[in-house]
């Protein structure tokens, strides 16, 4: 792997924006670290450190960095889709446009869904075996319920990929106006939610808030977030977030807290959008010094290596964390009261063990994160689809099924698999087997639409 990383790093074109790669790795790394730190596990169950020590909740304003990942996604999606369009300049409408869209979905979803489906199938088989043997209680049961929770982020990301072409067209026509429209819609949703008491309207902000952040990535791709605008985003977003939390109905924490009436995360709120603006502005202000750092070969090789396994590490990091706690309990190692002096003293050991186990899981599963190589002579490159009628709608249907399946699985988990446990997804009960079937079926549809007919 070392030689391949060195070769990839050495072959990096001068035009590549290395800072975007760093942001992708750093944002996922911050989420992993945050999850490891927030877990307050005792022999009696699993809690949240931020609920035990509310004074630590301001740390979420630094560790809740999912907006940065979605911002980077917008940048990458814009470049990827435009690259495909340049290869098919006739794809303005009709079947050619369908083929570009389906090829785009397949290319973007392949690296995301291949490691995700492996994770889901491995955990599904393990959960079934555990419950057939009569297990599933205690920490094992908690693990089966919680290990899939981070999949919500993949579901949202799938939606961003699917909506990239129409939203990119809006961006190209209206620029900052397209972002303002999405942000304004998020404001309207919260007004209807909190001032008018309109039921269920808040769920629209899963789209408006995250797509607004994603739209900032399009602006970044066009070089329209210069330092002055970055400073305005950072300062204005931070002030707005502080005012909304201080005087509005929004909680301090930028992640969900047990038992809270309002969460900034589920569904997203205007306060979370303001938080995302200040984070995007802040990371853009750090672009120049970071770019100089990334010119160093060793630093860049580290970023390249981390990018190659980042999604695998994200998928398996909770597995590693619960594995560490399970081993400690099995070995009768004392788990101190969360937030006590002994608990804090044990943090470095727990983090080191979780990192080591995550590295082992990455070594086992990293091959599934590598893009599949087309077989020689099949003509199945990124634009191999012939533009057959229906490719675009078929790909869109597949992406929708993937999105619903992944979100459903993040909510229901693998606990109670044999008992038919369900969770509500848009008012529809969804079980784990149904969620897995939707995800797998949707992925197969995207693959079929994006490949096109065999040209051998």
């Amino acid at each position: 792997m070392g030689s391949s990383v060195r070769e990839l790093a050495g072959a990096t074109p001068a035009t590549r924006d290395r800072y975007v790669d760093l942001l992708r790795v750093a944002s996922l790394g911050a989420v992993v670290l945050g999850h490891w730190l927030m877990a307050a596990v005792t022999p009696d169950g699993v809690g949240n450190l931020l609920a035990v020590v509310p004074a630590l909740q301001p740390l979420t304003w630094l560790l809740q960095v999912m907006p940065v990942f979605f911002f980077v996604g917008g940048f990458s999606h814009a470049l990827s889709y435009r690259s495909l369009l340049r290869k098919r300049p006739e794809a303005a409408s009709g079947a050619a446009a369908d083929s570009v869209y389906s090829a785009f979905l397949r290319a973007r979803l392949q690296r995301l869904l291949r490691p995700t489906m492996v994770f889901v199938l491995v955990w599904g088989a393990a959960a079934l075996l555990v419950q057939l043997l009569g297990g599933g209680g205690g920490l094992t049961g908690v693990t089966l319920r919680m290990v899939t929770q981070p999949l919500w982020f993949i579901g949202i990301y799938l939606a961003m990929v699917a909506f990239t072409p129409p939203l990119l067209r809006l961006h190209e026509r209206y620029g900052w106006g397209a972002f303002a429209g999405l942000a304004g819609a998020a404001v309207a949703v919260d007004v209807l939610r909190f001032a008018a008491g309109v039921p269920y309207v808040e769920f629209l902000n899963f789209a408006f808030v995250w797509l607004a952040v994603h739209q900032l990535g399009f602006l970044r791709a066009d070089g329209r977030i210069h330092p002055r605008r970055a400073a305005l985003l950072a300062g204005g977003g931070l002030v707005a977030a502080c005012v909304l939390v201080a005087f509005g109905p929004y909680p301090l924490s930028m992640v969900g807290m047990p038992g809270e009436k309002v969460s900034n995360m589920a569904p997203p709120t205007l306060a979370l959008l303001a938080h995302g603006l200040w984070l995007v502005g802040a990371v853009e202000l750090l672009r120049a010094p970071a770019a100089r750092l990334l010119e160093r070969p060793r630093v860049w090789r580290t970023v390249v290596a981390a990018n190659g396994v980042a999604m695998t590490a994200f998928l398996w990091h909770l597995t590693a964390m619960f594995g560490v706690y399970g081993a400690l309990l099995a070995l009768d190692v004392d788990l101190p009261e969360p937030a006590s002096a002994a608990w804090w003293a044990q943090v470095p050991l727990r983090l080191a063990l979780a990192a080591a186990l995550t590295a082992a899981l990455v070594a086992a599963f990293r091959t599934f994160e590598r893009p599949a190589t087309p077989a020689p002579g099949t003509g199945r490159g990124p634009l191999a689809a012939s533009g057959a009628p229906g490719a675009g709608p078929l790909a869109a249907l597949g992406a929708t099924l993937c999105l619903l399946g992944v979100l459903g699985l993040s909510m229901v988990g693998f606990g109670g698999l044999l008992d038919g446990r369900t969770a509500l997804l848009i008012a529809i009960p969804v079980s784990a087997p149904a969620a897995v079937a939707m995800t797998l079926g949707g992925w197969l549809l995207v693959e079929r639409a994006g490949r096109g007919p065999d040209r051998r």
Side-chain angles (χ1 to χ4, degrees):
M1 181 181 176
S3 59
S4 61
V5 168
R6 198 170 286 111
E7 291 169 3
L8 283 172
T12 303
T15 55
R16 187 174 184 88
D17 193 326
R18 300 183 179 195
Y19 186 45
V20 167
D21 294 290
L22 174 63
L23 289 179
R24 183 183 296 110
V25 170
S27 56
L28 285 179
V31 172
V32 169
L33 179 61
H35 286 167
W36 286 347
L37 287 174
M38 285 193 299
V41 180
T42 67
D44 299 323
V46 180
N48 189 315
L49 179 65
L50 299 177
V52 177
V53 188
L56 294 177
Q57 291 182 16
L59 290 177
T60 62
W61 290 45
L62 295 175
L63 292 176
Q64 172 49 286
V65 292
M66 274 294 118
V68 175
F69 189 88
F70 293 146
F71 165 66
V72 168
F75 175 90
S76 300
H77 298 158
L79 266 58
S80 176
Y81 189 68
R82 285 169 170 171
S83 175
L84 290 177
L85 286 177
R86 283 194 296 272
K87 295 172 184 176
R88 290 286 293 271
E90 77 279 11
S93 62
D98 274 1
S99 72
V100 170
Y101 180 65
S102 58
F104 169 74
L105 281 184
R106 179 176 183 250
R108 302 307 294 179
L109 267 56
Q110 188 179 74
R111 187 174 174 183
L112 189 69
L113 286 180
R114 288 180 77 236
T116 299
M117 287 309 307
V118 170
F119 169 83
V120 166
L121 293 175
V122 168
W123 259 111
L128 183 60
L129 180 62
V130 166
Q131 291 169 69
L132 283 173
L133 295 175
L139 183 62
T140 301
V142 173
T143 303
L144 293 178
R145 291 195 306 272
M146 295 185 65
V147 76
T148 62
Q149 286 185 0
L151 295 180
W152 72 266
F153 133 80
I154 293 176
I156 299 297
Y157 198 78
L158 288 171
M160 292 177 173
V161 174
F163 281 109
T164 287
L167 289 178
L168 188 56
R169 286 193 291 271
L170 283 176
H171 158 74
E172 290 168 348
R173 182 170 182 178
Y174 298 109
W176 281 94
F179 161 77
L182 288 166
V187 173
V189 165
D190 271 17
V191 170
L192 292 172
R193 175 187 181 183
F194 294 114
V198 177
Y200 305 116
V201 70
E202 63 267 25
F203 294 104
L204 291 173
N205 267 349
F206 275 113
F208 294 140
V209 168
W210 290 127
L211 289 178
V213 175
H214 187 250
Q215 205 78 7
L216 289 173
F218 296 165
L219 291 160
R220 167 71 156 78
D222 286 349
R224 300 181 68 175
I225 305 182
H226 50 67
R228 182 176 297 178
R229 283 181 177 164
L232 287 173
L233 283 174
L238 184 58
V239 169
C242 290
V243 169
L244 290 168
V245 168
F247 301 104
Y250 306 101
L252 174 64
S253 174
M254 291 298 163
V255 300
M257 288 288 103
E260 63 186 358
K261 293 182 179 179
V262 175
S263 167
N264 281 321
M265 276 292 296
T269 64
L270 184 57
L272 184 65
L273 176 57
H275 169 70
L277 296 185
W278 97 258
L279 278 181
V280 167
V283 298
E284 280 299 286
L285 290 174
L286 295 173
R287 189 200 312 185
R292 289 192 293 270
L293 180 66
L294 290 168
E295 291 297 325
R296 299 180 182 179
R298 183 174 298 178
V299 174
W300 177 235
R301 284 198 299 269
T302 301
V303 173
V304 170
N307 257 302
V309 298
M311 186 54 58
T312 303
F314 175 80
L315 286 166
W316 291 97
H317 77 280
L318 283 188
T319 302
M321 183 194 78
F322 284 120
V324 167
Y325 277 111
L328 293 176
L329 289 172
L331 295 171
D332 290 325
V333 176
D334 180 48
L335 293 182
E337 190 68 23
S340 64
W343 188 90
W344 285 109
Q346 204 182 68
V347 165
L349 172 63
R350 292 198 303 269
L351 292 182
L353 291 173
L357 186 49
T358 300
L361 290 166
V362 165
F365 294 108
R366 71 187 180 196
T367 185
F368 298 102
E369 190 166 346
R370 296 170 185 166
T373 303
T378 61
R380 289 182 176 181
L383 282 177
S386 67
L394 186 66
L397 173 61
T400 302
L401 287 174
C402 287
L403 184 158
L404 294 175
V406 169
L407 287 180
L409 192 56
S410 75
M411 298 168 65
V412 71
F414 285 116
L417 200 58
L418 298 179
D419 301 326
R421 182 173 183 264
T422 63
L424 285 179
L425 177 64
I426 317 178
I428 299 173
V430 176
S431 65
V436 173
M438 280 194 291
T439 306
L440 183 57
W443 183 30
L444 293 176
L445 287 178
V446 171
E447 283 286 303
R448 175 67 186 88
R451 283 200 310 262
D454 197 333
R455 294 188 172 183
R456 286 177 291 181

